[in-house]
Amino acid sequence: MLLEENKPLAPFTTFGIGGRARWFAQAATEDEIVEATAWARERGLELFVLGGGSNLLVADAGFDGLVLKVGLRGIAVAPDEGQDYRSSRIPEVHPSGAKAPINSGGMDVRAEALTYQAAAGEDWDGFVERVVNDNCAGVECLAGIPGTVGGTPVQNVGAYGQEVASVIQRVRAFDLRQRAFVELSAAECGFSYRRSRFNSVDRGRYIVTRVDYCLTEGGAPTLGYPELRRAVQESQPQGREANLAEVAAVVRSVRQSKGMLLVEGDPDCRSAGSFFKNPVVAEADLRRIAERIEKEPPSFPAGPGMVKVPAAWLIEQAGFGKGYTLGRAAVSSRHTLALVNFGGATAVEILALADQIAAGVEARFGVSLEMEPVMVGF
Ligand code: NAP
């Protein structure tokens, strides 16, 4: 395992912001994860596990511990039982001839449900592209989301009417408390909206090394989200039904139109995606918001007596439109929910803008906005 000292962290983040890591290591195998975490523990160093860096704000002073980048690679489709992942790369299995029917009991049935085992360091969008090209449904609406496979169960990544909780079968992870690898079923992951045990009760306890997704070969795309359904319909000549790869392509273009797709050279991409969570408020609070502004806010049901209000709408109504700028930090010119680094912005500048926006929304509507990115070194 190669250990580096005083490694700049900004290039590992989509924001392009942040100081140096006192120590930095990349793990390509599970054995290296064991080694690196033991090394940090023996020295009493704080540990931060880095994936794709797409949802992070790193402090200008950096991180005074060990940053461990999880670089495990490989995708396998329903491999043989007992395959050993501890020190090996997961072998790449080509779809042709490699797909095994799940629970077929040895009978000659057409494969429908397929388990894809993806190592945590795989690029998420690359994984989506691979499975839609294999004609497997279940994650096509999650195309174009930056980051790695290992990050998806942590915040139960979701978009356009799909979330990974509905296809995750199992998560393999290193449990820092027991210092052993564990395999957690979907039920044990405790998924709810953008939440799991990994970012709530057990934050910092597990390092995800592999995620198993159960996808449906030949399944139809999910078109439950009105904005996506419209865009897909518009993309199809004479009402032809879109296939999975076409739906994924439409999702990427919708994301790109909002500056939510990583495109080299696009200044709106230097961000951490959505900077605030969409608040869930009581219905009574929604009426209060409507009275204050004398119009009906958009809202969506979120459980008994509760509604979800788009944070972007609240921010705009509080006077922070697209392109609003404070120093070298700005609200994206294409999506009010993303804060962008205009070039050379510091973490302090981003937080100053975030504080101004949150205070404005609180004063206007009495709603507190919660930041979404993970804060490192603060
Ligand atoms: P958007 O489509 O403008 O929607 C904003 C909010 O309104 C979201 O919370 C969304 O709920 C909700 N919403 C919109 N239409 C809805 C409907 N028909 N039924 C129920 N709820 C509805 O959001 P955006 O910022 O452009 O993002 C597009 C998608 O990417 C959304 O699904 C958003 O949640 C997702 N996203 C996810 C993450 C993440 O996983 N961390 C980060 C950024 C964006 P839903 O969240 O349930 O869709």
Side-chain angles (χ1 to χ4, degrees):
M1 184 190 64
L2 176 69
L3 260 177
E4 294 173 79
E5 237 183 308
N6 295 319
K7 179 96 168 166
L9 288 174
F12 290 95
T13 71
T14 52
F15 243 143
I17 291 177
R20 290 165 186 268
R22 176 75 179 87
W23 298 101
F24 183 91
Q26 284 212 51
T29 64
E30 289 191 343
D31 284 348
E32 288 181 351
I33 287 181
V34 176
E35 192 187 342
T37 55
W39 186 88
R41 197 168 72 142
E42 280 155 22
R43 287 158 184 79
L45 292 171
E46 214 187 317
L47 176 72
F48 179 74
V49 179
L50 178 67
S54 57
N55 194 36
L56 292 185
L57 183 60
V58 178
D60 299 315
F63 182 72
D64 191 25
L66 172 69
V67 171
L68 176 61
K69 174 140 175 68
V70 175
L72 281 76
R73 305 298 301 271
I75 299 170
V77 189
D80 296 335
E81 291 265 315
Q83 189 165 341
D84 184 1
Y85 291 96
R86 273 170 307 171
S87 55
S88 60
R89 289 162 65 89
I90 297 178
E92 181 73 20
V93 180
H94 290 288
S96 48
K99 293 174 182 174
I102 309 297
N103 298 330
S104 66
M107 287 181 334
D108 183 19
V109 293
R110 193 179 170 280
E112 285 199 326
L114 289 178
T115 298
Y116 277 76
Q117 301 191 308
E122 282 290 329
D123 172 61
W124 171 254
D125 193 34
F127 175 73
V128 173
E129 192 172 0
R130 153 77 188 269
V131 302
V132 298
N133 287 337
D134 288 356
N135 198 28
C136 285
V139 291
E140 60 282 355
C141 301
L142 307 180
I145 293 180
T148 54
V149 160
T152 62
V154 175
Q155 60 159 326
N156 182 16
V157 162
Y160 301 112
Q162 272 181 342
E163 59 178 20
V164 289
S166 61
V167 288
I168 286 179
Q169 204 173 46
R170 203 178 300 106
V171 173
R172 182 171 165 89
F174 185 60
D175 180 349
L176 288 159
R177 200 180 292 169
Q178 298 180 59
R179 297 209 55 79
F181 285 93
V182 292
E183 297 208 351
L184 304 168
S185 67
E188 288 169 322
C189 292
F191 291 125
S192 59
Y193 182 72
R194 303 288 179 269
R195 204 178 142 94
S196 70
R197 70 190 290 172
F198 309 112
N199 68 359
S200 56
V201 289
D202 282 323
R203 183 185 285 275
R205 174 172 172 183
Y206 295 103
I207 301 177
V208 175
T209 60
R210 192 191 85 217
V211 186
D212 297 355
Y213 303 90
C214 182
L215 305 176
T216 310
E217 188 185 35
T222 300
L223 293 175
Y225 208 77
E227 182 188 2
L228 177 62
R229 197 167 50 235
R230 270 194 307 276
V232 168
Q233 279 162 358
E234 281 163 19
S235 74
Q236 292 304 307
Q238 287 123 27
R240 195 175 65 78
E241 279 186 18
N243 64 28
L244 294 165
E246 287 165 341
V247 169
V250 171
V251 170
R252 286 194 190 93
S253 78
V254 171
R255 294 189 69 92
Q256 186 167 6
S257 70
K258 299 181 182 189
M260 292 288 194
L261 187 76
L262 289 182
V263 177
E264 194 67 35
D266 181 342
D268 276 324
C269 294
R270 227 177 290 132
S271 82
S274 303
F275 199 86
F276 297 102
K277 294 181 182 167
N278 291 306
V280 172
V281 301
E283 277 165 0
D285 292 325
L286 186 72
R287 285 194 293 279
R288 206 167 33 76
I289 295 170
E291 279 160 21
R292 287 195 191 191
I293 198 158
E294 292 176 349
K295 62 175 141 176
E296 208 51 49
S299 67
F300 304 96
M306 305 298 282
V307 287
K308 189 167 51 182
V309 185
W313 185 88
L314 294 169
I315 293 169
E316 255 166 47
Q317 299 297 321
F320 304 94
K322 295 187 180 81
Y324 178 88
T325 301
L326 183 68
R328 289 170 293 182
V331 173
S332 160
S333 67
R334 307 222 288 281
H335 196 326
T336 323
L337 208 45
L339 302 190
V340 297
N341 166 13
F342 244 9
T346 60
V348 164
E349 285 173 277
I350 296 287
L351 287 179
L353 175 60
D355 285 349
Q356 202 183 80
I357 290 171
V361 169
E362 177 86 53
R364 185 78 178 92
F365 301 113
V367 174
S368 354
L369 290 181
E370 224 183 296
M371 292 192 283
E372 182 168 295
V374 173
M375 301 286 151
V376 183
F378 288 92

